Amino acid sequence: MSVTGNPAMGLPGSSKPTIEKKPVKFSNLLLGAGLNMFEVTTLGQPLEVMKTTMAANRQDGMMGAVSRIWSRGGILGFYQGLIPWAWIEASTKGAVLLFVASEAEYYARTFGAGNFTSGIAGGMTGGLAQAYATMGFCTCMKTVEMTKHKAAVTGQKVPGTMATFMDIYRKEGIAGINKGVNAVAVRQVTNWGSRFGLSRVAESQIRSFTGKSDASPLSVGEKILASALGGGLSAWNQPIEVVRVEMQSKKEDPNRPKKMTVGNTFRYIYSTNGVKGLYRGVAPRIGLGVWQTVCMVALGDIAKDMVEKATGEKVTAKH
């Protein structure tokens, strides 16, 4: 007698674990968007501004970047690009990256992939989707806000955020507001692929060290440790982030390539600043990864309860 059904489901008497497909729920998307909005509005954007400023002005150290940012508007200088670009990026992350990553990870597991491989596949696919769907123009406009020359220094009126957006659109079209999107895609694919995969490896090692089975939940501290390790170690691709910032930067430099690509931008940075320049801004980026982890994990249960009360749905997404 043949047995038909979902190939992802384990058969009676089979030792193969059941692979469940998570349903697409509004509560899941709301949880992801809410946590990301909190993260970016608190410490997330200041760390992002520091990372971008150091990557764009590679002669500056940490204190030099802080001084440069402060001179551009005091404490508000650390929140440049937050509204609306960082908010748009944060609010769509749950709807795009997390949803696509979850789907891709599920299908990878149905094809027999293990935790590490399916984690990488999910992260890479989700990162790619987010880069081209929303993150390209969001990162471009955030970088423009952080690196454009302040006309107020010469007594001119400073163009607002939307005026800057429309000016770029009129001059360069869609390509202008998505400048550097290919570098964003490469960064997201490598970042989330390694982040998801390394986090899975860290989880496995923690379970092995503590004697927990795969079915046993990790404590909040163990979740934070695993995710922080994954996020910190995934900063190995910082050169791609520096290339992305340089491609999107509005700083004035006649020595830059006229038509910038990922390849010639990489060569330009290396020729002018060496290997050290390619890793400028890695410290705040690691800090950003840790803060994202703390928000998503430590605050996850509180946010989960709030979302379930607001929507009446049970949240099934991991956080």
Side-chain angles (χ1 to χ4, degrees), residues 178-256:
N178 274 287
K179 188 175 291 182
V181 69
N182 291 331
V184 173
V186 173
R187 191 203 76 174
Q188 286 299 92
V189 167
T190 54
N191 181 57
W192 286 105
S194 58
R195 189 168 186 167
F196 277 42
L198 290 169
S199 293
R200 296 291 187 276
V201 170
E203 287 176 5
S204 296
Q205 292 301 312
I206 289 171
R207 290 182 190 282
S208 176
F209 182 77
T210 58
K212 291 184 176 180
S213 67
D214 289 343
S216 301
L218 297 178
S219 68
V220 170
E222 290 168 341
K223 287 180 183 178
I224 290 176
L225 177 60
S227 296
L229 286 170
L233 292 172
S234 66
W236 64 267
N237 69 351
Q238 181 66 9
I240 298 299
E241 172 69 355
V242 177
V243 167
R244 188 274 299 174
V245 171
E246 187 64 42
M247 291 179 72
Q248 296 175 339
S249 173
K250 282 295 181 183
K251 71 174 187 178
E252 298 175 5
D253 183 353
N255 297 318
R256 292 200 304 175

Side-chain angles (χ1 to χ4, degrees), residues 25 27-28 304 308 311-317:
K25 290 184 174 183
S27 57
N28 290 352
K304 182 177 177 180
E308 287 182 342
T311 63
E313 292 183 348
K314 183 175 178 58
V315 175
T316 58

Side-chain angles (χ1 to χ4, degrees), residues 294-309:
V294 170
C295 289
M296 297 298 283
V297 177
L299 301 178
D301 288 333
I302 298 172
K304 182 177 177 180
D305 291 340
M306 292 175 64
V307 168
E308 287 182 342
K309 288 177 181 178

Side-chain angles (χ1 to χ4, degrees), residues 45-125:
Q45 190 62 11
L47 288 168
E48 177 74 21
V49 171
M50 288 181 63
K51 177 190 71 173
T52 301
T53 300
M54 291 178 70
N57 303 280
R58 291 176 295 278
Q59 73 280 6
D60 291 351
M62 183 77 76
M63 294 311 299
V66 170
S67 177
R68 183 185 293 271
I69 296 165
W70 186 266
S71 69
R72 290 170 63 88
I75 192 67
L76 294 179
F78 289 88
Y79 287 90
Q80 281 185 314
L82 175 66
I83 302 172
W85 313 117
W87 277 5
I88 293 173
E89 183 184 327
S91 61
T92 56
K93 187 178 289 184
V96 180
L97 187 148
L98 297 179
F99 166 67
V100 175
S102 178
E103 290 289 295
E105 185 171 355
Y106 163 75
Y107 283 108
R109 288 177 65 82
T110 64
F111 283 109
N115 282 345
F116 179 70
T117 305
S118 59
I120 288 180
M124 291 176 68
T125 309

